[in-house]
Amino acid sequence: MRVRDLLAPGAPRLRLLAAEEELDRQVSGVMTTDLHDPGRYLHGGELVLTGMLWRGGPADSERFVRTIAAGGAVALAAGEAEVGPVPEDLVEACRRHRMPLLAVPDDIAFGTVTEFIGRQVSADRAADLAALVDRHRLLVSAAGGGGLDAVLDLLGGDLDLDCWVLTPTGAVIAGPADRLTAEDRDQLVRAHLAAQRQRRRPPHRARLAGGAYSLLPAAASAEHEAPQAGWLLADWLLVVAGDVTEWTTKRQQLADNLARLVAAERHRRDEGRRLRRRLADELLALLRRDADPAEISRTLYASSAMAARYESPEPKSQPQDDSWLVLSAEGTGLPDGTVRAVLEEALGGTTDRALVAGSGNGAVVVLPALDSPVPADTLRDLLAPLEAGLGSEGRITLGVSAPASEAGGLRGALEEARHARRIAAARVGRVCVAGPEELASHVLLLAAVPDEVRRAFRSRLLDKVIAYDIEHQADLVRTLEAFLRSDGSWTRCAGQLHVHVNTLRYRIGRIEELTGRDLSRLEDRVDFYLALELA
């Protein structure tokens, strides 16, 4: 239980006097004392009940609170039956030491408080549940299918312990999804990925508006547990309400066993994906050699049939998917295989219908259009939390094709996705996505131009203008951008820049002198526009 539970409906009528911000502390037991120095009898996690008979004056309050805080007490409950109302010096001492202080009215016996806590907290029950979770870990690895939700429901009902299993993109694998908002999940996975990237030792901690949370990694296998392996971008995350570092040893064992259970379930799920991975690799090989559409159709049919059996045990006559999308992805500064694993988690979903192929630092995804998270900005938002784990050199770029209505169109969709990914790669950002709508834009042409040609073109048109701006603070580049956005309208451009038309004419004339171009000509305007886009 937490300290705040002592103030909940049905609890003894205690009054909170200090340290409201510390009510999420875990209570493991009760110690009743009026000793001047009870610290040597504390083991950590106790609520200290006292009749304040140790107090001879204000200085005693500071000494007593300091002693129990050093001993690991989580709260102090002062009875008012013997010496009257709780003195202000004790309230102030508890504020200084961030020790929750509760007043026990004179008509509430200490035995009532102790009995209430005893009903709420039982180390034996925690140990029994820890053993249960350990046994269930073996059952889940063998049977699978819904085991995690059953265990988390059990913990929530018997120990009032809320837990969630999340993917690195914030999707809920198990746990009460309605108790964590999308914003909360985003903050939690970002905090976890950042801590993993910095190689901080778990459990990691995060504090949201709803209280403190502990974050424990659940690696798919022992070989991928090290953060430097790059798999932290694909591993599941166990979120536990509360700070497990303040728990008793037995309750910490419960959290550790639960993390192992989650890792075992993840490993079991990955083993089940082996056949889909083989199908995905086979499909990619068929597309690369421009195989007969009938061969491609057979692979797609096998994929749909497998997904249909996973979704429902009832046989279906013929699984159908009207159209398919292709995603092309590439990672920079990431270990081989990371991008494929990331996309399996982000796009697999509960039905696991995505075919994710690839090797090295790239991946190709083929999935039914109805299951896709496109448009591109939606896919970008889905992957955005991964930015916290990419590091200074890490980057993921993706391109999305238009739907292909038949197997024979997948080859063209793959090329389309690759072109779109080149557009994404030309942008600034850790996670960049481009969609098929951008393939009819000049951006596609720019993305196809070699870097050295891009630099030379930009330099030839803009270097003199930029140098003039630096030397004279003339604002010519911004003026050029505004002039092109205004379609060459002197009046509109001057209004946007808040300058006189004559001033604008002078600036444009200076640009023309520096570059030898004529901004009244469409060809020169196009050249300047492209140079600014490259910049």
Side-chain angles (χ1 to χ4, degrees):
M1 66 174 293
R2 301 178 178 88
V3 176
R4 69 172 62 255
D5 295 330
L6 289 164
L7 302 170
R13 292 179 292 99
L14 309 185
R15 304 192 316 275
L16 177 66
L17 301 180
E20 181 181 0
E21 69 280 4
E22 298 295 333
L23 296 182
D24 281 328
R25 292 181 177 185
Q26 298 285 335
V27 180
S28 61
V30 183
M31 177 185 183
T32 302
T33 182
D34 275 305
L35 294 173
H36 285 78
D37 184 7
R40 62 184 179 274
Y41 301 111
L42 292 169
H43 300 288
E46 295 94 346
L47 168 76
V48 174
L49 275 169
T50 180
M52 298 186 289
L53 298 180
W54 45 263
R55 181 181 177 275
D60 292 336
S61 295
E62 169 64 26
R63 176 186 49 76
F64 186 84
V65 175
R66 183 174 62 247
T67 298
I68 65 171
V74 296
L76 173 64
E80 298 178 323
E82 294 290 335
V83 299
V86 178
E88 187 61 28
D89 51 83
L90 181 56
V91 176
E92 288 300 321
C94 286
R95 286 174 180 158
R96 284 193 295 274
H97 290 277
R98 301 174 67 87
M99 177 67 64
L101 174 61
L102 305 168
V104 183
D106 56 10
D107 61 337
I108 300 293
F110 281 2
T112 301
V113 178
T114 302
E115 182 182 356
F116 176 79
I117 295 175
R119 289 197 306 266
Q120 302 296 315
V121 178
S122 170
D124 290 338
R125 288 175 65 204
D128 290 343
L129 280 171
L132 175 61
V133 170
D134 198 29
R135 291 195 303 271
H136 198 84
R137 174 167 55 89
L138 301 177
L139 295 175
V140 169
S141 63
L148 287 180
D149 273 314
V151 173
L152 298 190
D153 287 346
L154 179 65
L155 294 176
D158 281 16
L159 280 185
D160 191 26
L161 181 60
D162 283 339
C163 303
W164 298 264
V165 180
L166 306 179
T167 70
T169 57
V172 179
I173 298 293
D178 58 330
R179 299 187 191 176
L180 275 184
T181 66
E183 182 180 354
D184 287 342
R185 298 197 304 270
D186 182 83
Q187 293 184 50
L188 289 171
V189 297
R190 286 178 184 269
H192 169 70
L193 289 172
Q196 285 282 82
R197 183 169 55 81
Q198 296 164 11
R199 302 187 185 182
R200 301 209 302 266
R201 185 174 181 176
H204 313 306
R205 282 162 286 181
R207 180 167 288 277
L208 306 180
Y213 295 86
S214 298
L215 315 173
L216 294 90
S221 62
E223 63 188 271
H224 295 145
E225 285 177 358
Q228 60 267 29
W231 281 75
L232 63 91
L233 291 172
D235 283 335
W236 288 352
L237 161 67
L238 172 63
V239 179
V240 181
D243 186 348
V244 301
T245 62
E246 297 179 354
W247 289 4
T248 63
T249 302
K250 289 181 179 179
R251 287 182 68 94
Q252 288 182 5
Q253 180 186 0
L254 171 65
D256 291 341
N257 284 342
L258 186 56
R260 294 190 187 98
L261 184 154
V262 174
E265 171 65 3
R266 167 67 192 275
H267 181 69
R268 183 203 64 79
R269 199 283 318 273
D270 283 353
E271 287 296 309
R273 278 183 170 173
R274 285 181 179 270
L275 180 55
R276 289 195 64 79
R277 290 190 182 121
R278 287 201 295 269
L279 282 175
D281 290 339
E282 178 185 340
L283 178 61
L284 180 58
L286 291 174
L287 294 178
R288 283 175 172 169
R289 63 181 176 87
D290 201 13
D292 188 289
E295 290 186 76
I296 298 174
S297 292
R298 283 193 290 270
T299 303
L300 292 177
Y301 178 87
S303 170
S304 296
M306 185 184 304
R309 286 195 300 270
Y310 183 88
E311 292 166 13
S312 172
E314 297 297 326
K316 295 184 180 180
S317 57
Q318 185 175 355
Q320 291 289 341
D321 290 297
D322 294 330
S323 58
W324 298 78
L325 287 172
V326 179
L327 278 65
S328 175
E330 187 171 308
T332 304
L334 300 174
D336 288 352
T338 301
V339 174
R340 180 178 188 170
V342 164
L343 291 177
E344 280 185 330
E345 285 305 318
L347 302 174
T350 57
T351 59
D352 219 8
R353 295 170 66 84
L355 287 172
V356 186
S359 59
N361 61 358
V364 172
V365 184
V366 178
L367 75 166
L370 291 179
D371 291 344
S372 170
V374 293
D377 55 353
T378 306
L379 182 59
R380 188 184 305 109
D381 292 341
L382 176 68
L383 300 176
L386 298 176
E387 295 174 350
L390 285 171
S392 58
E393 302 298 325
R395 194 164 186 251
I396 297 176
T397 55
L398 299 98
V400 185
S401 76
S405 58
E406 56 184 19
L410 281 179
R411 172 67 183 176
L414 175 60
E415 291 303 315
E416 194 174 74
R418 286 173 171 167
H419 284 304
R421 195 207 63 77
R422 293 176 67 182
I423 293 175
R427 293 173 174 160
V428 176
R430 298 286 182 83
V431 177
C432 297
V433 185
E437 67 280 356
E438 300 180 69
L439 295 179
S441 164
H442 66 278
V443 179
L444 174 62
L445 298 179
L446 296 181
V449 176
D451 286 345
E452 61 273 13
V453 177
R454 292 154 59 95
R455 285 193 295 268
F457 180 79
R458 181 180 64 228
S459 175
R460 191 171 297 115
L461 264 76
L462 296 180
D463 275 4
K464 290 183 179 179
V465 180
I466 294 171
Y468 188 90
D469 271 353
I470 294 173
E471 182 178 354
H472 300 281
Q473 291 79 48
D475 219 10
L476 295 186
V477 172
R478 189 167 73 92
T479 300
L480 177 59
E481 290 175 332
F483 186 73
L484 295 175
R485 283 197 306 269
S486 302
D487 297 325
S489 170
W490 298 98
T491 303
R492 288 208 311 273
C493 183
Q496 290 178 13
L497 295 173
H498 305 291
V499 299
H500 194 275
V501 172
N502 288 341
T503 301
L504 175 61
R505 291 184 183 278
Y506 172 80
R507 291 181 183 179
I508 295 300
R510 176 60 65 185
I511 293 171
E512 291 175 335
E513 290 176 11
L514 291 169
T515 61
R517 298 297 187 106
D518 182 356
L519 278 164
S520 66
R521 299 178 66 246
L522 176 61
E523 295 87 343
D524 286 343
R525 289 186 189 180
V526 170
D527 285 348
F528 275 121
Y529 175 79
L530 295 176
L532 289 169
E533 285 286 294
L534 291 172

